[in-house]
Amino acid sequence: MNNIILITGATSGFGEAAAHKFAQNKWDIIITGRRNDRLQKLETTLQEKYNVDVLSLNFDVKELEEVKSAVASLNEKWKNIDVLLNNAGLGAGRGPIQEGVYDDWEQMIDTNVKGLLYMLREVSPLMIARKKGHIINVSSLAGWEVYGGGNVYCATKHAVRAISRSARIDMVHHNIKVSVISPGAAETEFSLVRFKWDTKKAGAMYEGYQPLKAEDVAESIYFMATQPAHVNIEEMLIQPTAQANATITYKGN
Ligand code: NDP
Ligand code: 8X3
């Protein structure tokens, strides 16, 4: 039987690239996200290209009842999740705290923190029952550092690392690995979403240097997921070569 990975936020960026990487290596894949048209398209592509089993679950991680019923809908095969890639997340806006937009704050906290927790809460008992599993949570360089205007986004990504380290202590008794990957600047739809599809503002984030590609991050996630049973990579911080930290990026000057 193939290994199984459940990827939240597989309709774009890291999640979509990870779905390709794992499927290419003969994992069966559960893909999730809110944009059902993209999920359906990806399901067909993965099945046809890699000849693996794919299950699409169309739900919003912010909605607890949707998360519960999506996980409860898994049949005996799909319950055997080897890896949960808790990836769904977003930056919504960027600006000083005194000008903060409440709806953006709620969205980031509800998605990046509460949504990740809901998935962790619903999926970890399935792993505990099998006495094996691996939870890989996606934080960010913004989970290590802060930058002006990053306030709530940075807070959510710091929270992902705190939750992960604490969950690791709970899960160690059940033979379950918990890891965190923290990418720096990567060109996905992240900045388009953050800047409300303003292509100029989003594009400016990646001008003058080579950012990470979604595939670079997927490669690292695959490496984390395929270590021997006795090895757990707790944390991985991956940045573009040109980026030294959250505020210093070399652009040839
Ligand atoms: P993308 O915008 O390309 O992908 C985000 C994915 O998350 C989409 O598939 C989206 O699917 C899904 N998603 C967002 N909100 C929800 C929700 N409420 N319910 C279900 N799915 C949701 O960005 P990235 O691939 O770059 O981002 C993936 C993760 O990586 C995020 O957690 C982000 O914070 C983090 N990150 C990104 C970095 C970057 O520079 N790009 C760097 C470090 C971390 P849909 O809209 O269909 O629901
Ligand atoms: C996204 C990367 O540096 O813009 O997590 O916060 S950053």
Side-chain angles (χ1 to χ4, degrees), residues 9-15 32-35 59-62 87-91 111-112 138-141 153 157 182-190 193 206:
T11 56
S12 133
F14 304 158
T32 82
R34 293 165 301 176
R35 287 170 291 183
F59 66 93
D60 185 333
V61 297
K62 297 197 296 300
N87 163 74
L90 81 168
T111 310
N112 302 357
V138 179
S139 175
S140 166
L141 177 58
Y153 181 72
K157 291 300 180 179
S182 298
E187 190 164 11
T188 60
E189 289 182 2
F190 177 84
V193 171
Y206 310 113

Side-chain angles (χ1 to χ4, degrees), residues 142-240:
W144 291 74
E145 295 180 39
V146 293
Y147 49 87
N151 40 66
V152 175
Y153 181 72
C154 296
T156 65
K157 291 300 180 179
H158 275 68
V160 170
R161 291 187 58 232
I163 291 164
S164 305
R165 288 203 305 278
S166 180
R168 172 77 182 127
I169 297 166
D170 301 331
M171 294 296 150
V172 75
H173 310 288
H174 301 285
N175 191 39
I176 293 166
K177 302 182 189 185
V178 182
S179 306
V180 193
I181 182 160
S182 298
E187 190 164 11
T188 60
E189 289 182 2
F190 177 84
S191 290
L192 285 167
V193 171
R194 184 174 228 180
F195 298 115
K196 322 274 157 98
W197 299 90
D198 180 330
T199 48
K200 223 170 154 188
K201 271 192 185 169
M205 299 305 297
Y206 310 113
E207 267 165 22
Y209 71 104
Q210 168 76 65
L212 296 173
K213 300 190 295 285
E215 291 74 19
D216 302 323
V217 176
E219 198 69 45
S220 295
I221 292 167
Y222 185 75
F223 178 78
M224 293 170 101
T226 52
Q227 291 304 297
H230 66 287
V231 178
N232 180 45
I233 298 177
E234 301 261 349
E235 292 258 16
M236 190 184 281
L237 177 58
I238 167 175
Q239 295 186 79

Side-chain angles (χ1 to χ4, degrees), residues 80-109:
N80 297 315
I81 297 166
D82 295 288
V83 174
L84 164 64
L85 178 59
N86 237 337
N87 163 74
L90 81 168
R94 178 175 169 165
I97 202 114
Q98 68 276 15
E99 292 168 15
V101 176
Y102 290 118
D103 185 52
D104 286 348
W105 290 2
E106 311 286 2
Q107 264 208 66
M108 288 187 278
I109 293 167

